[in-house]
Amino acid sequence: MQGFLDPAILFFVFGLFAGAVKSNLEIPAQISRFLSLYLLMALGLKGGFALARSGLTPEVAMTLGCALVLAVLVPLAGYALLRRFVSGYDAAAIAATYGSVSAVTFITAVQHLETQGIAFGGHMAAAMALMESPAIVMAVLLANRVRQRASLAAAGAHVPSPGATGRLLHESLTDGSQLLLLGAMVIGLLSGADGEAAMQPFTGDLFKGMLAFFLLDMGLVAARNMGELRGKPAWLLAYAVAAPPVHAGLALLMGVVLGISAGNTALLMVLAASASYIAVPAVVRHAIPEARPSLYIGMSLGLTFPLNILLGIPVYTAVAKHVLA
């Protein structure tokens, strides 16, 4: 119950309400973009400062390894399942969406752990960055494989040239938001305690309010994307609800087997359970134009994202704490 009374979460709920009643409340796109960049920069700095304090440890290496394994397993398993029910293009797009991660969900989880007083490693910001791109790369490759098998190129269908595919992969690996996160983390690591003291107002005092403001905007956006789910097959909606906890369970299993701390395991669970609604759609719209955005965006932003923010984060944290604490 305490998680629901967190001001940032309440602002998200308020945004959902305002969007549901079709209020004209709106956060300008440039302000929303600034808030997103601020949160990523602050998170990267905080992660770098924490990593400077803890140093490189075996758990850091194990956790990053788990993140990379999850980033490969989740989209492959998702594609294998989804391919039975939808086209290969839709399967690749949805699998990429659920195989990649949501930075906002992760940032909200970090704030939740800090509020609960649960320790976690600064390297988890790097884990998030590692998990963003593999699913995008695999989606592009899987979609190209579908095109080749169906001989669509001979029929004049849209088939990106090797150069165009290379550019798309380059964009996914050098995305500005991801580079900002990693760059800020390196700066935090290099500047250490002195940098942490100098940046405290930026990474500390302002962070909670900025997150609340951004979650208000995300509540509005999520509410307006729920309409995309109308008329969609019930099993797709079930996937959007059931797949995240299954992915989180896989992360929990890894945490238990490898003895990863409760805080780091909780964040791995959140990352595995989250779904991208920014990075993946931006690439997939161009790389896999045959896929339907109403499916992969509607499912991730209209259903999975709000469920993770409202229920997933506190549940995954409680489970990881109970099992590993």
Side-chain angles (χ1 to χ4, degrees):
M1 185 64 182
Q2 184 179 356
F4 287 105
L5 298 180
D6 184 284
I9 301 302
L10 290 175
F11 269 108
F12 177 75
V13 174
F14 175 68
L16 285 174
F17 169 77
V21 299
K22 303 189 184 305
S23 167
N24 63 356
L25 176 62
E26 184 178 3
I27 309 300
Q30 291 302 317
I31 293 180
S32 178
R33 177 62 175 165
F34 164 75
L35 291 171
S36 174
L37 293 175
Y38 162 79
L39 291 171
L40 288 169
M41 183 175 173
L43 176 67
L45 283 170
K46 291 168 75 170
F49 297 146
L51 193 55
R53 289 194 301 270
S54 67
L56 295 174
T57 65
E59 181 168 350
V60 171
M62 284 193 301
T63 307
L64 294 180
C66 286
L68 198 54
V69 170
L70 287 167
V72 174
L73 284 182
V74 168
L76 286 179
Y79 179 80
L81 174 63
L82 292 163
R83 186 66 181 85
R84 301 170 180 268
F85 304 101
V86 294
S87 73
Y89 305 115
D90 285 328
I94 298 171
T97 300
Y98 282 83
S100 189
V101 294
S102 161
V104 179
T105 306
F106 177 77
I107 292 169
T108 307
V110 165
Q111 184 62 44
H112 178 73
L113 290 182
E114 290 178 347
T115 301
Q116 297 290 316
I118 301 174
F120 59 91
H123 62 283
M124 294 307 299
M128 185 189 80
L130 276 177
M131 294 179 71
E132 189 168 38
S133 295
I136 299 174
V137 174
M138 283 189 284
V140 173
L141 296 177
L142 288 169
N144 283 340
R145 183 182 178 190
V146 172
R147 292 188 188 101
Q148 292 169 358
R149 284 188 170 182
S151 301
L152 292 179
H158 174 87
V159 180
S161 66
T165 300
R167 286 193 298 273
L168 288 167
L169 296 181
H170 176 266
E171 289 174 7
S172 72
L173 294 171
T174 60
D175 175 70
S177 298
Q178 183 167 268
L179 285 181
L180 175 62
L181 174 72
L182 292 175
M185 188 167 64
V186 171
I187 291 169
L189 177 61
L190 294 176
S191 58
D194 291 339
E196 184 173 11
M199 297 297 290
Q200 196 284 327
F202 182 83
T203 59
D205 296 340
L206 290 175
F207 190 83
K208 185 78 171 184
M210 291 290 200
L211 177 60
F213 200 179
F214 190 64
L215 284 178
L216 167 63
D217 182 41
M218 292 313 305
L220 292 167
V221 173
R224 290 162 186 164
N225 275 271
M226 288 179 180
E228 298 286 345
L229 299 175
R230 294 194 185 96
K232 299 298 183 291
W235 72 265
L236 272 178
L237 305 185
Y239 181 88
V241 173
V246 171
H247 301 159
L250 180 59
L252 176 63
L253 178 62
M254 290 182 175
V256 171
V257 171
L258 296 175
I260 299 173
S261 70
N264 290 338
T265 297
L267 288 178
L268 269 182
M269 293 171 71
V270 169
L271 286 170
S274 68
S276 173
Y277 54 86
I278 297 176
V280 169
V283 176
V284 166
R285 278 180 181 272
H286 300 288
I288 315 177
E290 301 92 339
R292 291 171 287 177
S294 62
L295 292 183
Y296 57 85
I297 296 178
M299 291 168 64
S300 64
L301 189 52
L303 194 54
T304 300
F305 176 72
L307 284 176
N308 273 333
I309 293 294
L310 296 175
L311 295 176
I313 291 173
V315 169
Y316 301 146
T317 301
V319 170
K321 185 178 178 181
H322 175 74
V323 173
L324 293 164

